[in-house]
Amino acid sequence: MKRMIVYCVCVLMALPIVAQRNRNGNEGGGRKSFDPTEFRMRMERFIIQEAGITSDEAAKFFPIFHEMKEKQMKIGRQIMDLKKQKKPSQMTDKECTETVLEIESLKVEQAEVGASYTKKLCKAISSKKVFRALNAEDRFHRMMLRDFPKGRK
């Protein structure tokens, strides 16, 4: 019985997504450009629903959550820039060593940002809901990647 209820809820959650695709005319294989605002709103709705976050909790949670993600993305861009700087074949061993150590240092910094912001999130809402929200974010990203069009035109 519980499975049937969960299934019905999942189907009802999917209806707006299908309706949105049809309304945008994206069903016929046309390629829709990425809209970061829409992506963020869909992710927030998914996290709220999956983690059971109230509107008051969401008002506390998401500003901290988005600030954390922005800082982590900024560090991630620095890492990508370092990786794209030069080809390893054009670098000396010393330059490669310095670059690898700098990348690893940035990865540690990225993890530290996550740890410090997770503490802030746990002060804003219950740790259980933070845990659920972080897991929901992972599921959302997997779902989006799975649904991402396979062929590029």
Side-chain angles (χ1 to χ4, degrees):
M1 185 66 182
K2 283 185 180 180
R3 286 186 183 192
M4 186 63 164
I5 292 171
V6 170
Y7 177 76
C8 290
V9 169
C10 289
V11 169
L12 291 174
M13 288 182 344
L15 286 176
I17 294 170
V18 173
Q20 184 72 26
R21 283 186 181 161
N22 288 337
R23 191 179 71 181
N24 289 335
N26 200 24
E27 194 64 33
R31 184 112 192 228
K32 183 181 168 190
S33 63
F34 177 73
D35 181 1
T37 306
E38 180 186 343
F39 180 84
R40 183 183 250 190
M41 286 174 26
R42 287 177 67 185
M43 181 176 63
E44 285 181 7
R45 281 194 309 259
F46 186 83
I47 290 172
I48 287 168
Q49 194 163 19
E50 292 290 307
I53 296 174
T54 66
S55 57
D56 289 340
E57 291 170 330
K60 295 175 189 174
F61 176 82
F62 283 109
I64 299 167
F65 176 79
H66 291 307
E67 186 177 333
M68 172 182 73
K69 291 299 174 184
E70 286 295 322
K71 286 187 178 186
Q72 288 178 325
M73 282 177 49
K74 183 178 176 186
I75 296 168
R77 282 188 209 105
Q78 290 175 326
I79 292 169
M80 289 306 296
D81 289 345
L82 283 171
K83 288 180 177 181
K84 291 179 182 179
Q85 214 171 31
K86 286 184 184 177
K87 292 182 180 178
S89 60
Q90 299 171 337
M91 298 169 68
T92 66
D93 279 346
K94 183 180 179 185
E95 289 174 323
C96 285
T97 301
E98 290 171 356
T99 303
V100 167
L101 292 175
E102 192 171 350
I103 288 170
E104 291 306 312
S105 173
L106 286 168
K107 287 181 181 180
V108 168
E109 184 181 340
Q110 197 174 36
E112 288 171 348
V113 166
S116 69
Y117 274 88
T118 300
K119 289 177 186 175
K120 291 178 184 179
L121 291 170
C122 288
K123 288 179 182 176
I125 65 173
S126 75
S127 298
K128 184 180 263 188
K129 287 189 178 182
V130 170
F131 184 69
R132 287 179 183 165
L134 296 176
N135 284 335
E137 180 204 9
D138 290 341
R139 285 193 309 277
F140 177 79
H141 288 294
R142 281 195 305 274
M143 179 182 75
M144 294 303 289
L145 285 172
R146 183 188 66 231
D147 294 344
F148 191 73
K150 300 292 187 248
R152 292 189 178 227
K153 294 183 178 178

